[in-house]
Amino acid sequence: MATPQLTKNQTLVMDALSHSEGPMSAYTILDKLRDHGFRAPLQVYRALDKLQEYGMVHRLESINAFVACSCPHDHEHDHGVTAFTICEGCGQVTEFHDEAIEQRLSTLTRAQNFKTEKTTIEIRGHCQSCA
Amino acid sequence: MATPQLTKNQTLVMDALSHSEGPMSAYTILDKLRDHGFRAPLQVYRALDKLQEYGMVHRLESINAFVACSCPHDHEHDHGVTAFTICEGCGQVTEFHDEAIEQRLSTLTRAQNFKTEKTTIEIRGHCQSCA
DNA sequence: ATCAATTGCGTTATGCTATAACGTGTGCGA
DNA sequence: TCGCACACGTTATAGCATAACGCAATTGAT
């Protein structure tokens, strides 16, 4: 998945997420971008869809929010399964990848002949500071 | 978490989920129970909250739906981490538990001094029949 | 027995999340 | 230059979830 040149809206949404400390809901992003001409949710959702497709943004299913991918390198290759810890206190999200879990899940899904398309692993709790 | 006697509403919601082939949204449950006197979403959500607390119902975060726990035994002890495969074709949900994944996640979260409260693992794709 | 606390219930209203459906403009290759 | 793909803007609507109020039943300590 090569990363093409981003459009204006995509760039605005990406910047908003990148400069945010933690995850943001689509509507929070919308509010942040009103000064830049954003008026409707669809403008945000359409940009988010593309950014997810490019692997630059992740959706956190358990909190209906979006976060910039923390991988420093480009997004030209698949990262495999992505997992997150999400702190209920400060909202901090940590992204991580683990080959062992990926292998194990692969084994288990293969055993039931299940064809995986998207894997969600989200761990909610409290980080060191907020424990 | 001992399972107390269920209230009327809790029983109705539990029965609806148990007799369903797959997961149901709160509003779908509401519609199914209108004949039994249900009028408002809160009646469903309140019952669902308790049933989740008792470990009899799981929430599928990635599709905003609820499913009856498939464990045959009672719910008096914690099952640890619960994972699901969710078929995008037929909606079939399979629940499973894996000690290896649980261990690995525990190791990883411990490494960042993260205190886990709830773990979500949901695998979306296609089951054998729908592949 | 009585009071207070707890729990469940019902209702209305509201808020948050996401998409449908329509039309416009722009770039680009056949 | 025609047709197609894509991004965009707008309005409206659908879908998911909770706030806030009040009432009724239960329980359990005084």
Side-chain angles (χ1 to χ4, degrees):
Chain A
M1 176 89 50
T3 304
Q5 193 63 21
L6 298 184
T7 67
K8 180 159 166 286
N9 284 5
Q10 287 159 17
T11 303
L12 285 167
V13 170
M14 191 66 215
D15 285 352
L17 277 176
S18 300
H19 297 134
S20 165
E21 286 299 307
M24 301 173 85
S25 79
Y27 279 75
T28 302
I29 296 171
L30 174 58
D31 286 338
K32 295 250 180 205
L33 295 180
R34 287 202 189 276
D35 294 344
H36 296 272
F38 274 50
R39 320 281 334 220
L42 260 194
Q43 296 176 280
V44 178
Y45 282 110
R46 290 205 269 232
L48 285 172
D49 283 347
K50 284 298 179 184
L51 292 170
Q52 287 176 262
E53 192 181 316
Y54 304 152
M56 302 171 71
V57 163
H58 299 292
R59 173 185 168 78
L60 300 174
E61 310 276 4
S62 67
I63 57 173
N64 295 325
F66 302 84
V67 68
C69 178
S70 66
C71 297
H73 45 69
D74 58 34
H75 304 270
E76 290 180 6
H77 56 291
D78 197 351
H79 301 318
V81 175
T82 303
F84 305 90
T85 53
I86 304 170
C87 177
E88 313 258 359
C90 62
Q92 182 188 91
V93 170
T94 302
E95 176 179 342
F96 61 96
H97 302 266
D98 187 76
E99 188 66 28
I101 290 176
E102 197 166 342
Q103 287 288 333
R104 187 80 187 121
L105 283 178
S106 173
T107 298
L108 291 166
T109 51
R110 266 190 81 74
Q112 51 172 289
N113 283 308
F114 188 89
K115 185 160 180 289
T116 296
E117 268 137 39
K118 174 150 193 268
T119 300
T120 298
I121 302 180
E122 296 176 16
I123 303 170
R124 298 176 67 179
H126 284 87
C127 71
Q128 185 167 19
S129 310
C130 299
Chain B
M1 175 90 50
T3 303
Q5 193 63 21
L6 298 185
T7 66
K8 180 160 166 286
N9 284 4
Q10 287 159 17
T11 303
L12 286 167
V13 169
M14 191 66 216
D15 285 352
L17 277 176
S18 299
H19 296 135
S20 165
E21 285 299 308
M24 302 173 85
S25 79
Y27 278 75
T28 302
I29 295 171
L30 173 58
D31 286 338
K32 295 249 180 206
L33 294 180
R34 288 202 188 275
D35 294 345
H36 296 273
F38 274 51
R39 319 282 333 220
L42 260 194
Q43 296 175 282
V44 179
Y45 282 110
R46 291 203 270 231
L48 285 172
D49 284 347
K50 285 297 181 187
L51 293 171
Q52 287 177 260
E53 191 181 318
Y54 304 151
M56 302 171 71
V57 163
H58 299 291
R59 173 185 168 79
L60 301 174
E61 309 276 3
S62 65
I63 58 173
N64 295 326
F66 303 85
V67 69
C69 178
S70 65
C71 296
H73 45 69
D74 58 33
H75 304 271
E76 290 180 8
H77 56 293
D78 197 350
H79 301 319
V81 175
T82 304
F84 306 89
T85 52
I86 305 170
C87 177
E88 312 258 0
C90 61
Q92 182 188 90
V93 170
T94 302
E95 175 180 343
F96 61 97
H97 303 265
D98 187 75
E99 189 65 29
I101 290 176
E102 198 165 341
Q103 288 287 334
R104 186 79 187 121
L105 283 177
S106 173
T107 298
L108 292 166
T109 50
R110 265 189 81 75
Q112 51 171 289
N113 284 309
F114 188 90
K115 185 159 180 291
T116 296
E117 268 138 38
K118 173 148 194 268
T119 301
T120 298
I121 302 180
E122 296 177 17
I123 303 170
R124 298 175 67 178
H126 284 87
C127 71
Q128 184 165 20
S129 311
C130 298

